[in-house]
């Protein structure tokens, strides 16, 4: 039985107990894999009104005044930080890496993650202020993954090179 030729599934299957999201089918092996780092950050839509009302200085020296204003603004912005998450996603199949990158570029990944990260509790914590989600994936990670995983596709005796890709978070 040739397991590498099994058809791969196109939908992710979440296995919450292990914290791994799997794309595709097949057995886990010591084949090439590549990590792509996804950064997800929630932030307030607007900071200007909070800064305007809470940052001031009575210093006369311009340099001292500027330093005090900067220090207050930095402290205020840190206090308003809603948090961020960094996910290392493991890919073992080039098609899945390319699909992920396409979803990132098109905005589909952002839309999917909004429902996961912008929760009712986050909205309650933000009060009347709007919240937005920012995501980033390094293009260099993607390109390095393509270089690493491309030879696997070309060497695979099966069409489609079905193997398992892991999203570990």
């Amino acid at each position: 039985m040739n397991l590498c030729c099994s058809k791969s599934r196109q939908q992710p299957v979440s296995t919450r107990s292990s914290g791994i999201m799997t794309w595709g089918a097949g057995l886990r092996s010591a084949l090439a894999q590549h990590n792509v780092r996804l950064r997800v950050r929630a932030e307030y839509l607007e900071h200007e009104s909070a800064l305007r009302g809470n940052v001031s200085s009575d210093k006369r020296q311009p340099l001292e005044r500027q330093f005090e204003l900067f220090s207050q603004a930095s402290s205020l912005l840190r206090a308003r930080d809603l948090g961020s998450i960094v996910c290392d996603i493991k890919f073992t199949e080039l098609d899945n890496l390319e699909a992920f990158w396409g979803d990132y570029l098109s905005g589909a990944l952002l839309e999917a993650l909004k429902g996961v990260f912008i929760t009712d509790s986050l909205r309650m914590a933000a009060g009347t202020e709007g919240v937005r989600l920012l995501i980033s994936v390094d293009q260099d990670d993607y390109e390095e993954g393509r270089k690493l995983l491309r030879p696997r596709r070309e060497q695979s005796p099966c069409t489609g090179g079905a193997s398992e890709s892991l999203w570990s978070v």
Side-chain angles (χ1 to χ4, degrees):
M1 179 177 181
N2 191 349
L3 293 175
C4 75
C5 292
S6 62
K7 292 186 178 179
S8 75
R9 289 173 277 166
Q10 296 302 312
Q11 296 297 318
V13 177
S14 176
T15 54
R16 295 210 183 258
S17 61
S18 66
I20 295 175
M21 183 156 297
T22 304
W23 282 75
L27 295 177
R28 212 181 286 186
S29 67
L31 296 174
Q33 67 180 9
H34 182 71
N35 292 351
V36 172
R37 182 157 286 172
L38 168 68
R39 292 170 181 83
V40 182
R41 177 172 189 72
E43 72 175 25
Y44 290 105
L45 286 174
E46 192 270 325
H47 295 285
E48 188 175 334
S49 60
L51 288 169
R52 194 171 303 221
N54 295 304
V55 175
S56 63
S57 175
D58 59 358
K59 303 282 184 189
R60 300 241 183 244
Q61 292 281 343
L63 190 56
E64 287 180 6
R65 178 177 173 78
Q66 189 174 18
F67 180 73
E68 184 177 33
L69 291 172
F70 177 79
S71 178
Q72 289 178 15
S74 290
S75 295
L76 179 66
L77 292 174
R78 270 194 301 276
R80 291 172 51 88
D81 186 2
L82 295 174
S84 61
I85 294 175
V86 175
C87 307
D88 285 327
I89 305 169
K90 297 182 187 306
F91 290 94
T92 59
E93 191 173 325
L94 181 59
D95 291 340
N96 292 327
L97 174 63
E98 289 176 342
F100 173 82
W101 184 251
D103 287 347
Y104 170 67
L105 292 178
S106 73
L109 181 60
L110 174 62
E111 291 304 313
L113 292 174
K114 281 181 183 178
V116 174
F117 288 99
I118 300 183
T119 61
D120 290 339
S121 61
L122 179 60
R123 285 188 193 98
M124 286 176 50
T128 59
E129 294 190 61
V131 175
R132 70 178 166 189
L133 193 67
L134 304 171
I135 64 170
S136 66
V137 177
D138 188 16
Q139 185 170 355
D140 290 341
D141 281 353
Y142 163 71
E143 289 173 358
E144 185 179 325
R146 288 194 73 218
K147 288 177 189 173
L148 180 68
L149 297 174
R150 179 170 286 149
R152 283 203 43 228
R153 177 192 278 173
E154 293 166 0
Q155 292 171 0
S156 175
C158 309
T159 57
S163 62
E164 185 173 71
S165 290
L166 303 174
W167 290 49
S168 60
V169 180

